Amino acid sequence: MKIHEGPSPVRMGGGPLRSNTRNREAGDIDLELTELSTGRAESPLIETDCNGVTGLDVACIIPLLQACPGDETESLFACADRTRKGFVGDSVHIRGIIEFSNYCVRNCMYCGLRRDNHKLRRYRMTPDEILATSEKGIKSGYRTIVLQSGEDAYYSASDIARIVEGIKAFGDVAVTLSIGERGRSEYATVRSAGADRFLLKHETADTELYRRLHPGAPLETRIECLQDLKSLGFQVGSGFIVGLPGQDISIIARDIALLKALDVEMAGIGPFIPHPDTPLASYPAGDVVMTLKALAVARLALPHANLPVTTALSTLRQDGRELALSSGGNVIMPNITPAKYRELYEIYPDSASLKDPEDGGIREIAVMLEAMGREVSTTKGDTLPREKRPIPARDEDSFQ
Ligand code: SAM
Ligand code: SF4
């Protein structure tokens, strides 16, 4: 697939993309979440150019996602790429991910780690193993360690807090947690221990689809968790899956609008990949181009955000990293989990991360980035606080 050959201004979906803008601020979140998660967002206003979307409406995101193959789609990717360059630069943040437990109390219909998948052999890493793996990763050059697991109450908040403190003692590194839904006081405990960031995807912004895919766990609770995390001072990441059975383009548009309403610092957008031992085994995988379009629009909507290349995308396309990095992405999360556990963390089959070398392939990534004219970031890669965010000079080559 060609990515882009420089942006030719294109009108998409038959209508102009620029119109008046009503800026919404973070304080509008409660109202907007209700609107967005029920699909009733009003005010069809969006302004998008290569300096980013400044107002958001679902009805105006849809034409972007409907960009035709060829010039329109390539123009969208090019615009997202220039927005990325203007707001967050050419450096790519590399975060080492440790999948420390595949036990999960949840039954998400799409995930191989779901509680009712009795075919999966379960494992838990000990705190010492997690610390040793983190130290190794930090020595290899990682400046962020991501700890991910199923929802596994075996590790109390104080257990996680001790692990976070241990990792922070190794050096000036950031710790990101991706351990699912917990109570506010538990989030507060791990935040006090020094955890910097938290990833919790909303998965889908459609309340009914969310209910069908997450037995006994409403979208409302997930959004409350995200708001708790934000109010505790975490850099918060959310995100969604593209190609979930029952999803349509308007839901993807609402997913992006919800990211904007939540004002997230990070957003993971990856394709659905069917797992044979889940109820969704027979459904097709999500579409790679639609995933890239969603990523590109998310970049326009959240120009300052850190947007990772998802492993799911790299699993469906060997060149997934390059494609996503050229469509708005600026983060790679190599797997640094010890080899003996990797195959057991089977969210979906044949994950690209199984091929990552033990150190995650940080040197190979540097070579790939250099070939793309990009570089490995030397910073921890925190999102700048709102008041410190520079606004690049306006680019006259607008996207319309
Ligand atoms: N348990 C934590 C949670 O759900 O937030 C973290 C681990 S969970 C395995 C990480 C992510 O995997 C989820 O947010 C979900 O989007 C993704 N995922 C799970 N099953 C998937 C599938 N079949 N295809 C694509 N992504 C999937
Ligand atoms: Fe558990 Fe996360 Fe998988 Fe859901 S997505 S089953 S919470 S590991």
Side-chain angles (χ1 to χ4, degrees):
M1 188 180 112
K2 257 195 325 183
I3 294 295
H4 60 79
E5 297 165 339
S8 51
V10 169
R11 269 169 62 118
M12 302 168 67
L17 291 174
R18 291 185 69 123
S19 62
N20 295 328
T21 300
R22 189 190 120 197
N23 275 315
R24 294 180 176 196
E25 298 300 329
D28 294 338
I29 279 182
D30 285 339
L31 171 66
E32 290 195 349
L33 286 181
T34 317
E35 293 171 340
L36 292 166
S37 60
T38 55
R40 289 198 302 272
E42 36 76 58
S43 165
L45 303 172
I46 190 169
E47 178 177 313
T48 177
D49 57 24
C50 291
N51 293 298
V53 172
T54 50
L56 256 199
D57 184 83
V58 170
C60 292
I61 297 175
I62 292 174
L64 295 170
L65 296 172
Q66 286 172 327
C68 295
D71 282 355
E72 281 193 3
T73 298
E74 287 175 21
S75 180
L76 172 64
F77 294 160
C79 194
D81 196 42
R82 292 198 302 160
T83 301
R84 183 270 310 152
K85 189 179 174 73
F87 281 81
V88 294
D90 282 334
S91 295
V92 174
H93 305 296
I94 316 290
R95 334 272 206 203
I97 181 161
I98 303 172
E99 298 159 340
F100 67 93
S101 162
N102 69 353
Y103 280 84
C104 191
V105 290
R106 302 251 169 216
N107 240 342
C108 308
M109 303 293 260
Y110 42 80
C111 180
L113 306 193
R114 67 198 303 270
R115 185 186 64 218
D116 287 353
N117 180 10
H118 299 295
K119 289 192 184 165
L120 184 67
R121 186 156 64 82
R122 305 282 171 167
Y123 73 91
R124 289 186 176 111
M125 288 172 65
T126 64
D128 282 348
E129 279 181 296
I130 299 170
L131 286 173
T133 308
S134 304
E135 188 177 18
K136 226 166 128 184
I138 293 163
K139 283 186 176 148
S140 309
Y142 293 94
R143 299 215 52 204
T144 294
I145 298 295
V146 183
L147 301 181
Q148 192 182 83
S149 67
E151 270 190 42
D152 185 3
Y154 173 86
Y155 303 88
S156 69
S158 341
D159 293 335
I160 304 279
R162 276 194 296 274
I163 295 167
V164 170
E165 282 162 358
I167 296 173
K168 297 287 244 185
F170 292 134
D172 182 23
V173 292
V175 176
T176 303
L177 298 176
S178 174
I179 55 174
E181 293 180 9
R182 299 245 177 171
R184 186 188 164 86
S185 64
E186 294 180 85
Y187 287 151
T189 301
V190 294
R191 173 77 185 131
S192 302
D196 304 87
R197 313 186 190 121
F198 203 105
L199 304 175
L200 184 67
K201 294 191 200 174
H202 68 262
E203 315 291 4
T204 175
D206 187 88
T207 44
E208 178 53 23
L209 182 58
Y210 190 98
R211 192 189 59 74
R212 293 207 302 269
L213 294 172
H214 305 94
L219 176 60
E220 204 184 355
T221 309
R222 181 131 309 200
I223 288 171
E224 276 168 19
C225 286
L226 288 163
Q227 289 177 321
D228 281 343
L229 290 161
K230 209 165 180 61
S231 65
L232 288 164
F234 282 97
Q235 290 168 53
V236 172
S238 190
F240 58 93
I241 303 177
V242 174
L244 285 167
Q247 183 188 59
D248 61 25
I249 207 163
S250 74
I251 295 180
I252 300 177
R254 279 156 53 203
D255 281 319
I256 295 167
L258 181 54
L259 292 177
K260 178 76 174 172
L262 288 165
D263 194 27
V264 291
E265 273 95 7
M266 302 165 285
I269 298 168
F272 164 68
I273 301 179
H275 187 294
D277 302 318
T278 65
L280 303 186
S282 61
Y283 288 89
D287 183 67
V288 167
V289 176
M290 181 53 74
T291 305
L292 291 168
K293 286 183 190 175
L295 174 67
V297 179
R299 171 56 69 196
L300 300 178
L302 295 159
H304 293 279
N306 283 325
L307 302 183
V309 175
T310 53
T311 309
L313 188 69
S314 306
T315 300
L316 292 186
R317 282 282 298 240
Q318 216 177 354
D319 54 353
R321 275 183 178 161
E322 289 91 334
L323 292 178
L325 288 172
S326 304
S327 311
N330 72 321
V331 175
I332 298 179
M333 295 168 63
N335 193 349
I336 57 169
T337 309
K340 63 178 173 181
Y341 297 122
R342 285 197 192 178
E343 280 192 8
L344 299 176
Y345 199 81
E346 197 190 54
I347 302 174
Y348 42 74
D350 303 321
S351 169
S353 73
L354 294 174
K355 296 184 200 121
D356 285 344
E358 186 100 15
D359 71 351
I362 198 161
R363 277 175 296 276
E364 292 83 346
I365 289 170
V367 171
M368 175 199 75
L369 292 178
E370 204 184 332
M372 294 180 74
R374 306 275 286 272
E375 70 215 354
V376 175
S377 164
T378 52
T379 72
K380 281 187 281 183
D382 291 318
T383 322
L384 285 176
R386 179 165 290 282
E387 62 283 3
K388 291 194 184 153
R389 293 176 186 174
I391 299 175
R394 220 169 165 72
D395 187 335
E396 290 312 316
D397 193 4
S398 64
F399 184 63
Q400 57 186 342

